[in-house]
CSV table of all heavy atoms in Angstrom, one decimal:
chain,number,residue,atom,x,y,z
A,1,LYS,N,115.0,108.9,88.1
A,1,LYS,CA,115.8,107.8,88.6
A,1,LYS,C,116.3,108.1,90.0
A,1,LYS,O,116.3,107.2,90.9
A,1,LYS,CB,116.9,107.5,87.7
A,1,LYS,CG,117.7,106.3,88.1
A,1,LYS,CD,118.8,105.8,87.1
A,1,LYS,CE,119.5,104.7,87.7
A,1,LYS,NZ,119.9,103.7,86.9
A,2,ALA,N,116.8,109.3,90.2
A,2,ALA,CA,117.4,109.6,91.6
A,2,ALA,C,116.3,109.5,92.6
A,2,ALA,O,116.6,109.0,93.7
A,2,ALA,CB,118.0,111.0,91.5
A,3,ASP,N,115.1,110.0,92.4
A,3,ASP,CA,114.0,109.9,93.3
A,3,ASP,C,113.7,108.4,93.6
A,3,ASP,O,113.5,108.0,94.7
A,3,ASP,CB,112.8,110.6,92.9
A,3,ASP,CG,112.9,112.1,92.9
A,3,ASP,OD1,113.8,112.6,93.6
A,3,ASP,OD2,112.0,112.8,92.3
A,4,ALA,N,113.6,107.6,92.5
A,4,ALA,CA,113.3,106.2,92.7
A,4,ALA,C,114.4,105.5,93.5
A,4,ALA,O,114.0,104.7,94.4
A,4,ALA,CB,113.2,105.6,91.3
A,5,GLU,N,115.6,105.8,93.2
A,5,GLU,CA,116.7,105.2,94.0
A,5,GLU,C,116.7,105.6,95.4
A,5,GLU,O,116.9,104.8,96.3
A,5,GLU,CB,118.1,105.5,93.3
A,5,GLU,CG,118.3,104.8,92.0
A,5,GLU,CD,118.1,103.3,92.0
A,5,GLU,OE1,118.7,102.6,92.9
A,5,GLU,OE2,117.5,102.7,91.1
A,6,GLU,N,116.4,106.8,95.7
A,6,GLU,CA,116.3,107.3,97.1
A,6,GLU,C,115.2,106.6,97.8
A,6,GLU,O,115.3,106.2,99.0
A,6,GLU,CB,116.1,108.8,97.1
A,6,GLU,CG,115.9,109.4,98.5
A,6,GLU,CD,115.6,110.9,98.6
A,6,GLU,OE1,115.4,111.5,97.5
A,6,GLU,OE2,115.5,111.4,99.7
A,7,ALA,N,114.0,106.5,97.2
A,7,ALA,CA,112.9,105.8,97.8
A,7,ALA,C,113.2,104.3,98.1
A,7,ALA,O,112.9,103.8,99.2
A,7,ALA,CB,111.7,105.9,96.9
A,8,LYS,N,113.9,103.7,97.1
A,8,LYS,CA,114.2,102.3,97.4
A,8,LYS,C,115.2,102.1,98.5
A,8,LYS,O,115.1,101.2,99.4
A,8,LYS,CB,114.9,101.6,96.1
A,8,LYS,CG,113.9,101.4,95.0
A,8,LYS,CD,114.4,100.5,93.9
A,8,LYS,CE,115.0,101.3,92.8
A,8,LYS,NZ,115.4,100.5,91.7
A,9,GLU,N,116.2,103.0,98.6
A,9,GLU,CA,117.1,103.0,99.7
A,9,GLU,C,116.5,103.2,101.1
A,9,GLU,O,116.7,102.5,102.0
A,9,GLU,CB,118.2,104.0,99.5
A,9,GLU,CG,119.3,104.0,100.5
A,9,GLU,CD,120.4,105.0,100.2
A,9,GLU,OE1,120.8,105.2,99.0
A,9,GLU,OE2,120.9,105.6,101.2
A,10,ILE,N,115.6,104.2,101.1
A,10,ILE,CA,114.9,104.5,102.4
A,10,ILE,C,114.0,103.3,102.8
A,10,ILE,O,114.1,102.9,103.9
A,10,ILE,CB,114.0,105.8,102.2
A,10,ILE,CG1,114.9,107.0,102.1
A,10,ILE,CG2,113.0,105.9,103.4
A,10,ILE,CD1,114.1,108.3,101.7
A,11,CYS,N,113.4,102.8,101.8
A,11,CYS,CA,112.5,101.6,102.1
A,11,CYS,C,113.3,100.4,102.6
A,11,CYS,O,113.0,99.8,103.6
A,11,CYS,CB,111.8,101.3,100.8
A,11,CYS,SG,110.6,100.0,100.9
A,12,ARG,N,114.4,100.1,101.9
A,12,ARG,CA,115.2,98.9,102.3
A,12,ARG,C,115.9,99.1,103.7
A,12,ARG,O,116.0,98.2,104.4
A,12,ARG,CB,116.3,98.7,101.3
A,12,ARG,CG,115.7,98.0,100.0
A,12,ARG,CD,116.9,97.5,99.1
A,12,ARG,NE,117.7,98.7,98.7
A,12,ARG,CZ,117.7,99.2,97.5
A,12,ARG,NH1,116.9,98.7,96.5
A,12,ARG,NH2,118.5,100.2,97.1
A,13,ASP,N,116.3,100.4,103.9
A,13,ASP,CA,117.1,100.6,105.2
A,13,ASP,C,116.3,101.0,106.4
A,13,ASP,O,116.7,100.8,107.5
A,13,ASP,CB,118.1,101.7,104.9
A,13,ASP,CG,119.2,101.3,103.9
A,13,ASP,OD1,119.3,100.1,103.6
A,13,ASP,OD2,119.9,102.3,103.4
A,14,ARG,N,115.1,101.6,106.2
A,14,ARG,CA,114.4,102.2,107.3
A,14,ARG,C,112.9,101.7,107.5
A,14,ARG,O,112.4,102.0,108.6
A,14,ARG,CB,114.4,103.7,107.2
A,14,ARG,CG,115.7,104.3,107.4
A,14,ARG,CD,115.6,105.8,107.6
A,14,ARG,NE,116.0,106.5,106.4
A,14,ARG,CZ,115.7,107.7,106.1
A,14,ARG,NH1,114.9,108.4,106.9
A,14,ARG,NH2,116.1,108.2,105.0
A,15,CYS,N,112.4,101.0,106.6
A,15,CYS,CA,111.0,100.7,106.7
A,15,CYS,C,110.7,99.4,107.5
A,15,CYS,O,111.2,98.3,107.1
A,15,CYS,CB,110.3,100.6,105.4
A,15,CYS,SG,108.5,100.5,105.6
A,16,PRO,N,110.0,99.4,108.6
A,16,PRO,CA,109.8,98.2,109.4
A,16,PRO,C,108.8,97.2,108.8
A,16,PRO,O,108.7,96.1,109.3
A,16,PRO,CB,109.2,98.8,110.7
A,16,PRO,CG,108.5,100.1,110.3
A,16,PRO,CD,109.4,100.6,109.2
A,17,VAL,N,108.1,97.6,107.8
A,17,VAL,CA,107.1,96.7,107.1
A,17,VAL,C,107.4,96.4,105.7
A,17,VAL,O,106.6,96.1,104.9
A,17,VAL,CB,105.7,97.3,107.3
A,17,VAL,CG1,105.3,97.4,108.7
A,17,VAL,CG2,105.6,98.7,106.6
A,18,ARG,N,108.7,96.5,105.3
A,18,ARG,CA,109.1,96.3,103.9
A,18,ARG,C,108.7,94.9,103.4
A,18,ARG,O,108.2,94.7,102.3
A,18,ARG,CB,110.6,96.4,103.8
A,18,ARG,CG,111.2,96.3,102.4
A,18,ARG,CD,112.6,96.5,102.3
A,18,ARG,NE,113.4,95.4,102.9
A,18,ARG,CZ,113.6,94.3,102.3
A,18,ARG,NH1,113.3,94.1,101.0
A,18,ARG,NH2,114.3,93.3,102.9
A,19,THR,N,108.8,93.9,104.3
A,19,THR,CA,108.5,92.5,103.9
A,19,THR,C,107.0,92.4,103.6
A,19,THR,O,106.6,91.8,102.6
A,19,THR,CB,108.9,91.5,105.0
A,19,THR,OG1,110.3,91.7,105.2
A,19,THR,CG2,108.6,90.1,104.6
A,20,GLN,N,106.2,93.0,104.5
A,20,GLN,CA,104.7,92.9,104.2
A,20,GLN,C,104.4,93.7,102.9
A,20,GLN,O,103.5,93.3,102.2
A,20,GLN,CB,103.9,93.5,105.4
A,20,GLN,CG,104.0,92.7,106.7
A,20,GLN,CD,105.1,93.2,107.6
A,20,GLN,OE1,106.2,93.6,107.2
A,20,GLN,NE2,104.8,93.2,108.9
A,21,CYS,N,105.0,94.8,102.7
A,21,CYS,CA,104.7,95.7,101.6
A,21,CYS,C,105.1,94.9,100.3
A,21,CYS,O,104.3,94.9,99.3
A,21,CYS,CB,105.6,97.0,101.7
A,21,CYS,SG,105.3,98.1,100.3
A,22,LEU,N,106.3,94.3,100.2
A,22,LEU,CA,106.6,93.6,99.1
A,22,LEU,C,105.7,92.4,98.8
A,22,LEU,O,105.3,92.2,97.7
A,22,LEU,CB,108.1,93.1,99.2
A,22,LEU,CG,108.6,92.2,98.0
A,22,LEU,CD1,108.6,93.1,96.7
A,22,LEU,CD2,110.0,91.8,98.3
A,23,ALA,N,105.3,91.7,99.8
A,23,ALA,CA,104.4,90.5,99.7
A,23,ALA,C,103.1,91.0,99.1
A,23,ALA,O,102.5,90.4,98.2
A,23,ALA,CB,104.2,89.8,101.0
A,24,HIS,N,102.6,92.2,99.7
A,24,HIS,CA,101.3,92.7,99.2
A,24,HIS,C,101.4,93.1,97.7
A,24,HIS,O,100.5,92.8,96.9
A,24,HIS,CB,101.0,93.9,100.1
A,24,HIS,CG,99.8,94.7,99.6
A,24,HIS,ND1,98.5,94.2,99.6
A,24,HIS,CD2,99.7,95.9,98.9
A,24,HIS,CE1,97.7,95.1,99.1
A,24,HIS,NE2,98.4,96.1,98.7
A,25,ALA,N,102.5,93.8,97.4
A,25,ALA,CA,102.7,94.3,96.0
A,25,ALA,C,102.7,93.1,95.0
A,25,ALA,O,102.1,93.0,94.0
A,25,ALA,CB,103.9,95.1,95.8
A,26,LEU,N,103.5,92.0,95.4
A,26,LEU,CA,103.6,90.8,94.5
A,26,LEU,C,102.2,90.2,94.4
A,26,LEU,O,101.9,89.6,93.3
A,26,LEU,CB,104.6,89.9,95.1
A,26,LEU,CG,106.1,90.3,95.0
A,26,LEU,CD1,107.0,89.4,95.7
A,26,LEU,CD2,106.5,90.6,93.5
A,27,ARG,N,101.4,90.2,95.5
A,27,ARG,CA,100.1,89.5,95.5
A,27,ARG,C,99.1,90.3,94.5
A,27,ARG,O,98.5,89.7,93.7
A,27,ARG,CB,99.5,89.4,96.9
A,27,ARG,CG,98.3,88.7,97.0
A,27,ARG,CD,97.8,88.5,98.5
A,27,ARG,NE,97.8,89.6,99.3
A,27,ARG,CZ,98.8,89.9,100.2
A,27,ARG,NH1,99.7,89.1,100.5
A,27,ARG,NH2,98.7,91.0,101.0
């Protein structure tokens, strides 16, 4: 859980392509 939460936080706060990534995953 701690690793997953850390990854989500890094992704939400620092990733410039988070929107594209989420759209790709949902697709």
